[in-house]
Amino acid sequence: MSKLRTAALASCALALTALTACTAPRSPTQTPSAPPSAVATPPLPAGELEVVYQAPQVSEVDRSTSPIMQPGVSISERWIAVASAPAGMLTVFDRATLDEAWSASGGPADWGPCGEPYFLSEERLVLLTGIEGGGPCSRFVVYDLESGEAVDGFEFVTAEYQGAKSYEQVTGTAAVDGRLWFVTAYHGLGFLDPKTGEPEGVLDSSELGAFSDDSGRAHVSSLAVDPETGLLVTTLLHGELIGDAPASDVYGIRVDGTEAEVVWKFGDTIDGNAALGVGELDAADPFLFVDDREPGVLAIAELADGGAVLGRLDPETGRMPAPISPATPVDFAAGLTDGHGAYEVVGDLLVTGAKDPDGGSLDLVGYDLATGEERWRTTPPAPFTATLQDVSVGTDGELYALSIGLVNGDAALNRIDPETGESTENWEIPSGLFGETGFTARVVDDAVVLVYESTQTIAFPTAPLVILAAEQRD
């Protein structure tokens, strides 16, 4: 097995924590980095940041008694909602005051939230979670944002026998034009009603290649999105192996309002990924991975010589018109924090981490998705032991990079100029907050929401959710 394939499959296994064949979604992870507002907020003010909220510290978490989950944070005009480790707590804050509005358990004891919550409106919030004894990522729970009460829930029952039910697994979610789209392993593609959260089916699973019969089986395993073009991309995993990994196919779906249409498809069992338009793919052990953690429909493909290219898929053809051939290994398939925060797409700019030429620490690198060229490579200022952990876009539309020390938890946040990659402002994070490094940072107005998103076990005292604010906040 190649190093690239091993890294990507290992990342998938970590992110899904024991789920088979990468079948759990990053959930409403495809919500935009900034909230759905017409005007960006003012930039995060320069100066010191102070702690205004800190969850109790946890350490030496026993995974056998903790829910398998994927944390995340979402933002609306009025609210900030966070699903956080280790118990899968859902916490909602008033965005204007940063006061905690309410909190609730984000799922049963065995399966917690599958990613961040999604705002149906300013009155309703939906969270994808598991069902006690019924499996992961199998139930949409709708909450009233004023009261915090769970007011509805929806799942896909596939069978029932003597009172015991089995459920279909939701394997991906993606936000497009104010609707949360979802796909299941075998049921098909649909969206949640923006008012009630009730699922509405649009495409049958057979239109996405899924089947399970005497001849074999294939299921839909993920859903990626480019919200700018209304493109959804599903990955179909087959039971058969090609080389030492499951065969897979990719389907491109154009979304228009409540309608969806498959406009292209390619893959191992269709054309050997020839439609991708990238020469020298490894025909003996083909590998193509479409990333679903962030908006952008980015794909990574392995070449016959052991190298790799990555780039954005064209919404009309599915081709990769401008493959990027990184000069040094990119922390893209595995992610900066081994699961999330691996990259950010800003227009035609892909910002991610890559090894420096000496193979040591991570550089922050900007790649041009239109040309495939590296635009810039920098090292944001940070404490001596700190390593790049996360990149994100704030509600102010600015690009931010978070670095945390691997030894003492010293950390810094940098505002990054997307044209040059240079830091235009630097904030030191108050000391003593981080026993672990796998955090993501979301700048919301004049505050910074820090959430532990790593799939690694928490071993040292760590507050999994912290909110910092500028000192001049009223």
Side-chain angles (χ1 to χ4, degrees):
M1 182 179 287
S2 69
K3 293 181 179 179
L4 174 61
R5 181 187 290 273
T6 302
L9 293 179
S11 169
C12 199
L14 282 171
L16 305 178
T17 322
L19 296 184
T20 302
C22 296
T23 57
R26 166 107 160 79
S27 193
T29 82
Q30 279 72 36
T31 51
S33 296
S37 56
V39 180
T41 60
L44 180 67
E48 294 188 7
L49 298 171
E50 58 183 6
V51 177
V52 296
Y53 178 90
Q54 182 174 349
Q57 286 193 331
V58 294
S59 62
E60 299 180 351
V61 173
D62 183 357
R63 283 292 187 188
S64 66
T65 60
S66 298
I68 297 174
M69 62 168 292
Q70 292 170 293
V73 55
S74 290
I75 306 157
S76 77
E77 298 288 352
R78 290 184 56 196
W79 311 98
I80 302 170
V82 184
S84 59
M89 185 65 67
L90 172 62
T91 309
V92 175
F93 299 87
D94 184 298
R95 178 173 167 176
T97 66
L98 299 181
D99 292 334
E100 181 180 335
W102 53 269
S103 62
S105 172
D110 51 356
W111 294 106
C114 299
E116 63 255 36
Y118 177 80
F119 291 96
L120 293 171
S121 66
E122 296 299 330
E123 290 75 39
R124 292 286 188 270
L125 175 80
V126 66
L127 183 69
L128 177 62
T129 187
I131 295 176
E132 189 81 48
C137 310
S138 49
R139 191 165 199 258
F140 289 108
V141 180
V142 181
Y143 292 88
D144 180 276
L145 279 164
E146 293 291 347
S147 67
E149 297 294 324
V151 296
D152 219 333
F154 305 97
E155 61 274 328
F156 302 92
V157 178
T158 57
E160 184 173 359
Y161 178 71
Q162 295 183 344
K165 297 179 180 179
S166 58
Y167 302 91
E168 178 83 359
Q169 184 181 343
V170 178
T171 54
T173 59
V176 180
D177 290 337
R179 288 183 178 84
L180 185 66
W181 289 77
F182 68 89
V183 70
T184 71
Y186 293 102
H187 184 81
L189 177 79
F191 63 87
L192 301 186
D193 184 285
K195 293 183 179 180
T196 67
E198 185 172 359
E200 300 282 348
V202 178
L203 292 181
D204 185 82
S205 61
S206 62
E207 298 181 74
L208 305 176
F211 66 91
S212 179
D213 54 34
D214 293 340
S215 64
R217 58 190 293 136
H219 71 279
V220 182
S221 65
S222 67
L223 181 65
V225 64
D226 183 353
E228 296 297 320
T229 62
L231 176 70
L232 298 176
V233 176
T234 59
T235 298
L236 183 74
L237 284 185
H238 293 259
E240 65 184 279
L241 298 180
I242 296 183
D244 48 15
S248 65
D249 300 320
V250 179
Y251 287 67
I253 305 160
R254 181 186 295 114
V255 170
D256 184 6
T258 61
E259 298 181 352
E261 176 188 10
V262 175
V263 290
W264 48 259
K265 58 185 177 180
F266 60 86
D268 294 336
T269 71
I270 298 173
D271 64 355
N273 293 317
L276 189 65
V278 176
E280 300 180 355
L281 283 174
D282 185 354
D285 190 16
F287 177 71
L288 174 69
F289 174 67
V290 180
D291 199 288
D292 65 341
R293 289 167 294 180
E294 300 288 346
V297 186
L298 298 178
I300 183 167
E302 185 172 280
L303 305 182
D305 62 4
V309 297
L310 57 94
R312 182 159 52 191
L313 300 183
D314 184 275
E316 299 298 327
T317 65
R319 296 175 68 85
M320 188 186 291
I324 297 168
S325 299
T328 60
V330 175
D331 229 20
F332 176 79
L336 297 180
T337 60
D338 67 63
H340 306 308
Y343 60 91
E344 193 72 51
V345 175
V346 183
D348 284 332
L349 180 68
L350 166 64
V351 182
T352 187
K355 295 291 185 182
D356 65 22
D358 296 328
S361 62
L362 285 179
D363 292 333
L364 186 67
V365 185
Y367 297 100
D368 192 317
L369 288 169
T371 66
E373 300 298 321
E374 181 179 306
R375 286 192 193 174
W376 46 257
R377 179 183 291 258
T378 63
T379 303
F384 175 72
T385 60
T387 300
L388 186 65
Q389 294 293 316
D390 179 83
V391 291
S392 64
V393 174
T395 60
D396 52 11
E398 301 284 349
L399 181 66
Y400 292 89
L402 174 68
S403 300
I404 301 177
L406 301 174
V407 177
N408 53 18
D410 288 346
L413 182 71
N414 283 273
R415 182 184 296 137
I416 303 298
D417 182 346
E419 296 298 322
T420 65
E422 298 295 334
S423 173
T424 60
E425 192 63 58
N426 172 272
W427 294 265
E428 290 187 7
I429 304 296
S431 61
L433 295 178
F434 305 112
E436 301 286 349
T437 58
F439 278 80
T440 186
R442 295 292 298 276
V443 172
V444 184
D445 308 324
D446 59 353
V448 183
V449 181
L450 298 161
V451 182
Y452 184 75
E453 285 201 331
S454 173
T455 57
Q456 297 297 312
T457 298
I458 296 176
F460 301 99
T462 297
L465 170 58
V466 176
I467 300 180
L468 310 175
E471 286 191 325
Q472 69 264 34
R473 168 178 273 266
D474 293 334

